[in-house]
Amino acid sequence: MTNIGYIRVSSISQNDARQLDGVPLDKVFKEKISGKSIKRPGLEKCLDYIREGDTLHIHSMDRLARNLKDLQNIVDDLTGQGVTIQFHKENLIFSNTANAMNKLMLQMMGAFAEFERSLIKERQLEGIAAAKKKGKHLGRLPSLSVDQKKEAISMVETGTPKTEVAKHFGISRPTLYSVLKQEKKECVQE
C-alpha cells in the first residue's frame, strides 16, 4: 500500500506548497497546468503508476478535474481498480466499497465546483465587455508606434536587412513580419 499525492496548480506563478502539506506521501506527482482537460502529463503518469491497494491523496476535487463528468469517471475508474482516493479539503474518501452518501457528496461537490468555474468565466467575460465598452485597451500594448512602423517599413523598402531592422527597434523578426504584413493588407484595401 503506497500513499501517492497528486498536486496541481493552474499557472507557473501559483504556489503548490499548501497542497497536501504534512501528509506523509511515498510518491508525489506535481504539475503546473490548467485543469480544464484530463490530458495532463502529470496526471497521466500518476494514473499509470498507481496500483490496487494504493491511496491517492489530493488537496481538493477541483485539483483533479474541473467538470463533474471527468471527476466521476476518474474516481470510478480508480476505485474500480481497488484504489482509495482521499480529498483532503472536502474530507471525503472514496474506495471500491461503495458508500451511497459519499457518491452523493462527490456529485454535489463536483457540481458546485463546475458551477463556480462557470460563474468565474461568466464574470470574467462581463468584465472584459465592460472594459471594452469604456474604451480600455485589453491585451498587450503595440510593440511599435505608428511612426516607428512607418520608419521600419521604410528601412525594409530601402534594403536594410530585416534582422537589422528588428534589432534597431528591439523587436523580434516575427513582430516585424507582422508589421509588414499589416502594412501590405492596408495598402491592398486602399
Side-chain angles (χ1 to χ4, degrees):
M1 181 173 160
T2 306
N3 286 304
I4 299 164
Y6 174 70
I7 296 173
R8 182 190 66 78
V9 291
S10 297
S11 69
I12 292 170
S13 62
Q14 290 179 320
N15 187 349
D16 61 19
R18 69 178 178 86
Q19 293 185 34
L20 303 178
D21 188 35
V23 177
L25 300 169
D26 302 307
K27 180 107 174 124
V28 176
F29 293 88
K30 289 184 179 187
E31 61 188 337
K32 295 186 179 197
I33 190 170
S34 171
K36 65 183 172 186
S37 168
I38 60 169
K39 300 270 188 233
R40 301 187 301 259
L43 178 61
E44 289 174 354
K45 287 177 186 172
C46 178
L47 297 177
D48 285 344
Y49 181 85
I50 206 159
R51 300 287 177 255
E52 181 179 352
D54 290 347
T55 299
L56 178 60
H57 296 268
I58 304 168
H59 176 70
S60 65
M61 290 179 179
D62 68 336
R63 302 295 90 201
L64 184 60
R66 285 296 179 104
N67 67 59
L68 183 57
K69 183 181 175 191
D70 289 343
L71 180 65
Q72 282 185 294
N73 287 339
I74 294 170
V75 170
D76 288 346
D77 287 349
L78 289 173
T79 56
Q81 296 172 32
V83 174
T84 299
I85 304 169
Q86 183 171 356
F87 294 105
H88 289 264
K89 185 177 177 184
E90 294 87 359
N91 198 24
L92 291 173
I93 299 173
F94 298 92
S95 65
N96 59 359
T97 55
N99 175 330
M101 184 55 88
N102 274 3
K103 189 160 185 126
L104 175 64
M105 289 301 291
L106 174 73
Q107 291 173 345
M108 286 176 39
M109 298 298 283
F112 283 130
E114 188 174 336
F115 178 67
E116 180 183 24
R117 177 81 178 130
S118 296
L119 287 177
I120 289 169
K121 280 181 119 176
E122 191 175 298
R123 285 192 299 264
Q124 183 181 33
L125 291 173
E126 287 171 356
I128 290 169
K132 282 182 179 178
K133 193 173 182 180
K134 289 180 182 177
K136 292 190 177 176
H137 178 80
L138 300 175
R140 192 172 160 205
L141 294 173
S143 301
L144 300 175
S145 68
V146 174
D147 290 338
Q148 288 175 319
K149 286 180 184 178
K150 287 178 184 174
E151 186 181 346
I153 291 163
S154 174
M155 288 173 75
V156 169
E157 287 174 349
T158 58
T160 308
K162 292 177 180 133
T163 304
E164 269 185 50
V165 175
K167 277 184 187 175
H168 175 77
F169 290 102
I171 59 174
S172 67
R173 283 185 42 209
T175 300
L176 177 61
Y177 287 122
S178 200
V179 167
L180 296 171
K181 186 177 179 181
Q182 184 63 38
E183 174 65 19
K184 200 177 208 181
K185 277 185 187 176
E186 290 173 9
C187 286
V188 170
Q189 290 174 354
E190 290 176 355

